[in-house]
Every structure is written in structure tokens, then in C-alpha cells.
Amino acid sequence: MEIITPFNQVDLKSWRLSGKDIIDSEKFISQLVNIFTDEDERLKMDQQTLVYNVQAHLPVKEGTPGGLYFGTTIIQPGKVGDEYFMTRGHYHLNSDRAEYYWGVQGEGVLMLMDKQRNVWAERMFPGSLHYIGSHIAHRVANVDYKPLIFGACWPSDAGHNYEEIDENGFAARLIEVDGEPVLAENK
Ligand code: PA5
Ligand code: MN
């Protein structure tokens, strides 16, 4: 019997994915409307500034029960006002679906929020492992001077629910105070 080489691969330095069924997406500062607190600052920036990009291996159709997706996110270093570059953040559409994140390169902070809007945060670093339980919104900020890379694995029927976060944001935001990340209440 033949032993085959898998079509899909992960480059363990850059965590770039190659092979088939891979999607690539980019988020520029122009697209991140009302994500950062200081909209005036965001609008003053070069709107072509890349904030983060996502690659994911989607071997089954989105929404299929029982499958898994595997992705990597790279968040560039930077800030909007005093707030670090971060992902949009979301709950899952099928809200009870969990997810793993793990740190690959750089220092970051994973912000988590339950349905009662209680927020807590975990430090991300190369090798950190994060279990994001059901019904928990998640968002990652890069607090480093270099790109932050993290991996993710989630069920193919989880989906992304951005609406709630787009409308109400997180109950806390991650700002830089005297060169250090601080989780502050979002007034
Ligand atoms: O599925 C996930 O949770 C990740 O792959 C995220 O989609 C990714 O990190 C980008 O964040 P967001 O989807 O909040 O823009
Ligand atoms: Mn998710």
C-alpha cells in the first residue's frame, strides 16, 4: 500500500499554509469601521494600512457538521490612538461551538467576553495554548513590535457572528499605558 504525502502543508517558520481549499483574506484599516474607539485617529491613518490577514484550510463546505477548520492569523504591529491593532472579534453563529487558539510568534493578548459581557484576557506568546469555550466572544491584540502570529482550529459549523461585537464592542479595550498593555473598562 502506498504512503502518500499530504497535499496541504504548514510552513513552521511563517505558518503560511499551502495546498488546496485554502482561503486568504486581508483586513485593512479602512475596513475596521467602529472597531477602535478613536474613529478620528483611524480616519487620519493611511487607509491602505494592513492590520491583519487570515489564511484557513476549509476542507469541507462552511456549515458542515463534524468537520474542522484550521487557520493562521497574522496581526501587524501598530496602534490606533492608544489602542493596539486587533482583530474584529466575534462570537460563533452556532454559539456553543468552541475553538483552540495558540501563540506562534510575538506577544499578544486574547480578550474573551461571555454573554453577560464579563471580560477577561490571556497573554499570548509562542507556545501559549488557549481553549475558547462555548458562548465566548474572542478578539486578539498585538502588543509587540513585530507581527503576531497565532493558529486556530474550530468546528466547520461554528460560523462567525460579528454583528453583536460590531454593534456593542467589547466591555473592555486593550490600551497602551506607559509602554504596557492595560485592559481598561470601555466607557
Ligand atoms: O476563526 C477564528 O476565530 C479566527 O480564524 C478569526 O476569524 C481570525 O483570527 C480573525 O478574527 P476575526 O474573525 O474576528 O476578524
Ligand atoms: Mn472564532
Side-chain angles (χ1 to χ4, degrees), residues 90-92 95-102 110-113 120 122 124 129-140 150-155:
H90 58 270
Y91 289 98
H92 290 151
S95 183
D96 66 349
R97 300 303 194 268
E99 180 164 8
Y100 272 116
Y101 276 7
W102 60 95
L110 167 63
M111 282 173 269
L112 301 153
M113 180 170 76
W120 65 103
E122 294 177 3
M124 270 187 141
L129 183 63
H130 311 269
Y131 179 73
I132 302 163
S134 345
H135 311 294
I136 305 291
H138 38 291
R139 154 180 283 172
V140 175
F150 67 92
C153 184
W154 68 101

Side-chain angles (χ1 to χ4, degrees), residues 25 27 32 52-56 69-75 86-92 99-101 132 138-140 150-154 158-160 162:
S25 71
K27 279 277 180 295
L32 295 171
Y52 62 96
N53 62 286
V54 182
Q55 265 200 313
Y69 290 158
F70 181 97
T72 55
T73 301
I74 304 178
I75 309 178
M86 61 185 177
T87 58
R88 225 171 136 189
H90 58 270
Y91 289 98
H92 290 151
E99 180 164 8
Y100 272 116
Y101 276 7
I132 302 163
H138 38 291
R139 154 180 283 172
V140 175
F150 67 92
C153 184
W154 68 101
H160 293 80
Y162 293 104

Side-chain angles (χ1 to χ4, degrees), residues 9-28:
Q9 292 178 19
V10 185
D11 179 308
L12 287 179
K13 270 214 179 95
S14 63
W15 278 67
R16 295 290 299 168
L17 308 179
S18 61
K20 55 180 179 193
D21 305 320
I22 288 168
I23 54 126
D24 258 287
S25 71
E26 290 172 318
K27 279 277 180 295
F28 296 93

Side-chain angles (χ1 to χ4, degrees), residues 135-151:
H135 311 294
I136 305 291
H138 38 291
R139 154 180 283 172
V140 175
N142 181 356
V143 303
D144 211 331
Y145 297 102
K146 60 181 179 206
L148 172 82
I149 306 179
F150 67 92

